[in-house]
């Protein structure tokens, strides 16, 4: 089973778009997939047509209720695809766990206790390096870092690598980083310069796939 987080502290770089489409594509290729919405905005949940009135258990419960397991909270989002939904209440997790020991390991602990008959688990993270993101990174083995063609995304990618280094040092947990160029119109000179900088900085981590700019995603 591969556990993949989608993370970048910058908003609008394609995390949720990538997470939902990756999960759906894997499911269409006969892989059993669990998508965990780990963002209080709940956009991955909305992407599959669910509203907060449609579920009573969510990612929030995986953090705060020890007797709720993943299998209790899943929704059927399609053939081979299950979803743990999220709503705005997820934003209260950080404050609720502020004084708790090992609060960064809550999600990983729940995954270890749960029955997980999946080939892939995909975790969509919020646009911040927060407790929710730390939990996802400590629960996964790989992180896809989508970057859009902007200087701010480059800075955010560097910050994510710093975060991974902290987790390695403090928790002894290694995560394989993969940089994904998302929403790239490769014609402007600035974008080509940015691509060359990404190739120079992240050789070996930069994914071959490029998500090209298209209004169809909107």
């Amino acid at each position: 089973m591969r556990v993949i987080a989608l993370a970048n502290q910058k908003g609008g770089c394609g995390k949720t778009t990538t997470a939902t489409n990756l999960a759906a594509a894997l499911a269409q290729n006969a892989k059993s997939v669990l998508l965990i919405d780990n963002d209080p905005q709940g956009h991955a949940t909305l992407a599959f047509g669910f509203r907060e009135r449609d579920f009573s258990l969510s990612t929030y419960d995986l953090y705060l209720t020890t007797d709720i397991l993943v299998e209790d909270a899943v929704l059927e989002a399609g053939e081979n695809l299950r979803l743990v939904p999220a709503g705005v209440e997820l934003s209260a997790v950080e404050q609720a766990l502020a004084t708790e020991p090992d609060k960064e390991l809550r999600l990983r602990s729940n995954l270890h206790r749960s029955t997980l008959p999946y080939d892939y688990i995909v975790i969509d993270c919020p646009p911040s390096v927060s407790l929710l993101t730390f939990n996802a990174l400590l629960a996964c083995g790989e992180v896809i870092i989508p970057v859009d063609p902007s200087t701010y995304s480059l800075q955010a990618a560097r910050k994510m690598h710093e975060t991974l280094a902290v987790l390695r040092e403090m928790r002894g947990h290694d995560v394989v980083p993969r940089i994904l160029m998302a929403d790239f119109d490769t014609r402007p000179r600035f974008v080509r310069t940015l691509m060359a900088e990404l190739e120079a900085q992240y050789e070996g981590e930069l994914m071959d796939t490029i998500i090209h700019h298209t209004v169809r995603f909107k």
Side-chain angles (χ1 to χ4, degrees):
M1 182 178 68
R2 292 172 64 178
V3 183
I4 306 170
L6 278 291
N8 190 331
Q9 69 181 47
K10 182 183 180 296
C13 59
K15 289 185 297 297
T16 299
T17 301
T18 305
T20 52
N21 281 276
L22 174 62
L26 289 168
Q28 288 174 357
N29 279 276
K31 302 298 183 183
S32 180
V33 184
L34 174 67
L35 174 62
I36 299 178
D37 193 343
N38 194 43
D39 184 350
Q41 296 178 97
H43 288 169
T45 301
L46 290 171
F48 288 97
F50 295 104
R51 302 295 185 268
E52 291 192 46
R53 64 176 179 270
D54 298 325
F55 53 87
S56 57
L57 297 176
S58 67
T59 310
Y60 174 86
D61 299 286
L62 303 189
Y63 282 102
L64 295 181
T65 313
T66 56
D67 60 341
I68 298 297
L69 302 177
V70 168
E71 53 264 36
D72 300 317
V74 294
L75 302 174
E76 186 171 343
E79 187 176 359
N80 301 321
L81 179 58
R82 300 295 180 268
L83 167 73
V84 178
V88 68
E89 75 279 356
L90 189 57
S91 60
V93 163
E94 189 147 5
Q95 183 175 353
L97 295 178
T99 60
E100 294 295 320
D102 294 328
K103 55 183 178 291
E104 300 90 355
L105 298 172
R106 286 297 183 101
L107 184 59
R108 184 168 81 176
S109 297
N110 196 302
L111 293 179
H112 286 174
R113 295 195 307 269
S114 300
T115 301
L116 300 172
Y118 303 104
D119 299 308
Y120 291 87
I121 296 178
V122 178
I123 308 174
D124 185 34
C125 294
S128 62
V129 181
S130 62
L131 179 63
L132 296 173
T133 303
F134 277 123
N135 267 271
L137 293 174
L138 285 167
C140 76
E142 307 166 60
V143 58
I144 296 175
I145 309 168
V147 296
D148 60 1
S150 72
T151 304
Y152 300 117
S153 270
L154 282 177
Q155 182 186 31
R158 286 193 289 268
K159 290 291 184 183
M160 182 57 63
H161 278 77
E162 292 172 8
T163 300
L164 296 179
V166 169
L167 294 180
R168 186 182 307 113
E169 181 180 347
M170 301 300 293
R171 291 288 184 178
H173 182 68
D174 279 311
V175 179
V176 177
R178 306 187 191 281
I179 306 291
L180 172 67
M181 291 185 281
D183 199 26
F184 269 61
D185 180 349
T186 57
R187 292 169 297 179
R189 181 181 298 176
F190 167 74
V191 175
R192 294 198 300 272
T193 301
L194 199 66
M195 293 172 69
E197 189 171 345
L198 283 168
E199 290 170 359
Q201 288 188 23
Y202 301 110
E203 183 181 5
E205 296 179 13
L206 193 62
M207 300 179 77
D208 293 334
T209 299
I210 299 174
I211 300 178
H212 293 274
H213 175 76
T214 169
V215 295
R216 286 181 294 175
F217 277 123
K218 302 296 183 186

